Amino acid sequence: MLAPERQARILKELQLHEAVRVTDIAAALNVSEMTIRRDIEALDQNGLARKIHGGAMRLARLSSLEPGFLLNVDKQLDGKLAIAEQALQLIQPGMTLALTGGTTTYQLAVALAGELDRLANLCVVTNSLKVAELLYRQQGSSDLKVIVTGGERTPSEALVGPVARLALSKLNTDLCFMGVHGIDSSRGLTSPNWLEAETNAAFIDATTRLVILADSTKFQVRSLASIAPLSAVETIITDDSVAPTTAALFSPKVANFITAPAITSIRKTS
C-alpha cells in the first residue's frame, strides 16, 4: 500500500475518532509500526493531523478539509497504478510535462518520483497541489523543476480559474497528462466543475500532445462542462477492466487507445 493511501486511511479514521493509535492502524493495514509513524510524521508536518505519543490526534479544523482528493485517492487503485506505469513509459529526459489535478495523475507523479535519476532535466507544470507537494518532497538532488500555476483551490486539490489560465497561456509543454471526470463518445472530455473545465482546456492549448489517464469507470460519463472533443486527444490510457464494447467504441476516435496491463508489484514511497 502506498504512503498516500495509508495517510488517507489515517485521516478517515480521525474523522471518526478524535485520536488513533499507531498499533491499531499498523495492524489494520498490515504494515510496520515504523511505517505508520512516518506517515503520521508527514501528516503532522503538512498540518493535517497532530502527532502525539503512540499515535495521532485530530486537528480542530480537520472536519472542514475538502474531502474530494482523500475520498477518491484509493478508489480503482489497481487500475490507476497500472495506468501510471504505462504513462511513465511515454516520458523522456528533458521533457516539459503538464500534470493536471486528479488522483490518477497523482499516481503518475508517484511513479515519476521514483525515476528522477533516470529521467533527467524534467520540468513539470501542474495545477495539482498534491502533485507539486509530492514531487517537491521526493526530488532529492535531482534537477527536476516544478512550476505551479496558482489559482482557486478545488476539493480535488487542483488550482483553477483565471489565474491558472493566465499562467498556462504563457507556457508551452511537450506532453500533457490529464485526468478527467468523464469521457463521452459524443461530447468528449467533461468535468463537473466549470472552472476546472476551462483550466484543463488551457492545459490543452499549451501542449503539443494530450494524453488522457482514465480508469474504466470514466467512460460514457457526461458531466456538466465540456473540456475538449476527442479529436484533441492523442492517447487514452485506461486499465484492463475496460469493457470490449467500450474499447471498440473509443479506439477509432483517438490515435492511440492503450489498455494498461495489471501490475503485480506496487511502488513503495516510504
Side-chain angles (χ1 to χ4, degrees), residues 208-255:
T208 303
R209 300 164 58 196
L210 176 61
V211 180
I212 300 301
L213 308 182
D215 69 67
S216 54
T217 67
K218 302 297 179 65
F219 292 95
Q220 291 300 70
V221 173
R222 182 184 296 189
S223 299
L224 171 67
S226 291
I227 300 168
L230 288 173
S231 59
V233 179
E234 177 194 277
T235 301
I236 292 176
I237 304 178
T238 188
D239 60 81
D240 62 3
S241 295
V242 67
T245 52
T246 299
L249 176 63
F250 283 87
S251 293
K253 298 180 181 294
V254 297

Side-chain angles (χ1 to χ4, degrees), residues 42-266:
L43 292 172
D44 183 88
Q45 290 178 355
N46 290 320
L48 297 175
R50 180 179 301 158
K51 182 176 68 172
I52 60 175
H53 180 69
M57 178 175 288
R58 177 200 303 168
L59 294 179
R61 61 179 179 86
L62 183 61
S63 61
S64 67
L65 288 174
E66 293 174 289
F69 185 91
L70 292 178
L71 291 180
N72 290 323
V73 69
D74 55 356
K75 291 181 178 178
Q76 309 297 324
L77 182 60
D78 289 344
K80 292 174 182 177
L81 292 171
I83 291 166
E85 291 291 336
Q86 188 74 42
L88 189 65
Q89 299 178 28
L90 300 179
I91 301 174
Q92 298 296 325
M95 279 185 165
T96 298
L97 309 174
L99 271 68
T100 71
T103 54
T104 308
T105 50
Y106 178 79
Q107 295 302 339
L108 174 56
V110 172
L112 178 60
E115 298 288 338
L116 292 178
D117 290 339
R118 178 176 66 85
L119 297 169
N121 297 310
L122 290 180
C123 177
V124 175
V125 178
T126 186
N127 69 328
S128 168
L129 293 171
K130 291 296 186 181
V131 166
E133 177 189 8
L134 171 75
L135 293 178
Y136 178 79
R137 286 192 286 108
Q138 299 292 329
Q139 65 182 343
S141 60
S142 72
D143 50 14
L144 174 71
K145 179 185 294 184
V146 180
I147 298 174
V148 184
T149 62
E152 178 182 343
R153 177 174 171 241
T154 71
S156 61
E157 301 286 359
L159 300 173
V160 301
V163 173
R165 296 200 306 273
L166 178 61
L168 290 165
S169 71
K170 307 296 184 181
L171 300 173
N172 300 295
T173 62
D174 299 309
L175 193 58
C176 175
F177 294 101
M178 180 174 291
V180 294
H181 185 266
I183 309 177
D184 185 78
S185 58
S186 60
R187 297 295 290 172
L189 314 175
T190 65
S191 170
N193 185 315
W194 177 267
L195 291 177
E196 186 168 46
E198 289 187 331
T199 302
N200 281 355
F203 268 105
I204 295 172
D205 290 341
T207 198
T208 303
R209 300 164 58 196
L210 176 61
V211 180
I212 300 301
L213 308 182
D215 69 67
S216 54
T217 67
K218 302 297 179 65
F219 292 95
Q220 291 300 70
V221 173
R222 182 184 296 189
S223 299
L224 171 67
S226 291
I227 300 168
L230 288 173
S231 59
V233 179
E234 177 194 277
T235 301
I236 292 176
I237 304 178
T238 188
D239 60 81
D240 62 3
S241 295
V242 67
T245 52
T246 299
L249 176 63
F250 283 87
S251 293
K253 298 180 181 294
V254 297
N256 304 296
F257 188 92
I258 300 173
T259 301
I263 57 177
T264 57
S265 61
I266 296 178

Side-chain angles (χ1 to χ4, degrees), residues 19-26 33 36-37 40 50-57:
V20 295
R21 295 173 57 87
V22 168
T23 52
D24 294 338
I25 296 293
E33 293 183 14
I36 297 302
R37 289 192 183 95
I40 291 174
R50 180 179 301 158
K51 182 176 68 172
I52 60 175
H53 180 69
M57 178 175 288

